[in-house]
Amino acid sequence: MPLRLNLATLLFSMSSLLFTLPVHAASFFAQVASTPPRGVQPLHHQLQQLAPQATPAALRLAAQALNCAEPNAERLAVIDYSLPSTEPRLWVFDLHQHKLLFEELVSHGQGSGDAKAETFSNTPNSHQSSIGLFRTMNSYYGRNGYSLRLEGLEPNVNDLAFERAIVIHGADYVSDAFITQTGRLGRSHGCPAVREEVTYPLIDSLKEDQYVFAYYPDAEWLATSAFLGCTGTVAQLARR
């Protein structure tokens, strides 16, 4: 009798284990996928090492958004609009090589502010910059010369970027000389414009399915951004 009882108990335990195994396995593999290998720092720590002048919150949220959209992305640009235009506030990272490729001045839109950007919009003809996560598209030659199209990934935040012609391009008003003369950079119609001298290599480093994250401590965006409160649905949409 004791042997039969122990055998029945064992069979019951095994059936319970087999039933719960898929759940535990899914949880385990999800944790592994989101955890860096041993000895590898989380992405935002890596970014902070490479760009110590950037606002830590900007890098932390950029890493969070990218991990949601495409954890295996090769390149990431971070724009920190909380800094004034007189300071470098654009960083381009090679995530596979763990390198900082560019640390640059970058303009904001005329409608966003003077020396500092303070207001942002997704509205056509507002001449304001947009924040949030973008995916890069193709490069082309337009009225501002060599330029890079951007696809805004956040509904009601930046998803009209393509329609608004919000692109990365070079501009003569992005320079130390312009800062010396006016106390700030020149301003665009909403585009993140860079120094003419770096236009070609910077755009070529980012074109075609890389990512740009534009940061500003906007309370509503921080509370509602789908990429900062990542869900499986938004992650799948970002990878299409």
Side-chain angles (χ1 to χ4, degrees):
M1 183 65 69
L3 178 60
R4 291 180 181 178
L5 181 61
N6 290 340
L7 180 59
T9 302
L10 177 61
L11 290 174
F12 177 79
S13 299
M14 290 181 64
S15 64
S16 299
L17 177 62
L18 291 174
F19 178 77
T20 59
L21 183 59
V23 176
H24 289 299
S27 176
F28 170 77
F29 285 116
Q31 182 177 2
V32 168
S34 63
T35 304
R38 181 173 297 180
V40 176
Q41 292 183 322
L43 178 57
H44 71 278
H45 287 166
Q46 298 179 43
L47 300 182
Q48 190 69 60
Q49 287 183 340
L50 294 171
Q53 304 304 317
T55 304
L59 299 181
R60 176 174 54 81
L61 294 173
Q64 188 173 333
L66 187 66
N67 281 332
C68 178
E70 180 48 80
N72 297 315
E74 181 181 0
R75 302 277 170 81
L76 169 67
V78 177
I79 300 173
D80 185 356
Y81 282 129
S82 71
L83 298 176
S85 66
T86 52
E87 298 180 19
R89 53 179 183 172
L90 165 65
W91 296 267
V92 179
F93 302 93
D94 185 322
L95 303 177
H96 289 187
Q97 299 296 322
H98 189 64
K99 291 181 179 179
L100 177 65
L101 302 181
F102 297 92
E103 181 176 16
E104 287 292 328
L105 298 167
V106 64
S107 72
H108 55 255
Q110 296 170 354
S112 286
D114 194 27
K116 293 190 69 174
E118 297 177 337
T119 56
F120 301 88
S121 175
N122 193 37
T123 304
N125 300 317
S126 66
H127 293 181
Q128 292 184 3
S129 298
S130 295
I131 54 178
L133 186 66
F134 303 79
R135 181 166 47 211
T136 65
M137 301 173 71
N138 61 297
S139 59
Y140 70 102
Y141 288 92
R143 63 180 183 180
N144 291 306
Y146 195 50
S147 304
L148 177 63
R149 291 188 172 97
L150 299 175
E151 176 190 10
L153 299 177
E154 304 206 35
N156 303 316
V157 175
N158 63 19
D159 61 339
L160 296 182
F162 182 82
E163 177 185 332
R164 296 177 61 204
I166 301 300
V167 301
I168 296 176
H169 63 80
D172 59 5
Y173 53 75
V174 181
S175 67
D176 290 326
F178 198 98
I179 293 173
T180 300
Q181 182 179 358
T182 65
R184 59 167 172 78
L185 286 186
R187 296 165 299 166
S188 66
H189 286 181
C191 296
V194 298
R195 292 188 302 126
E196 291 180 316
E197 295 86 344
V198 300
T199 303
Y200 279 86
L202 189 147
I203 287 177
D204 286 345
S205 75
L206 281 174
K207 64 183 181 181
E208 298 172 359
D209 294 326
Q210 306 305 328
Y211 289 85
V212 177
F213 182 80
Y215 167 79
Y216 185 80
D218 178 88
E220 182 177 357
W221 168 65
L222 292 174
T224 61
S225 171
F227 289 97
L228 302 181
C230 189
T231 65
T233 301
V234 73
Q236 292 174 6
L237 289 174
R239 295 169 196 168
R240 287 183 180 177

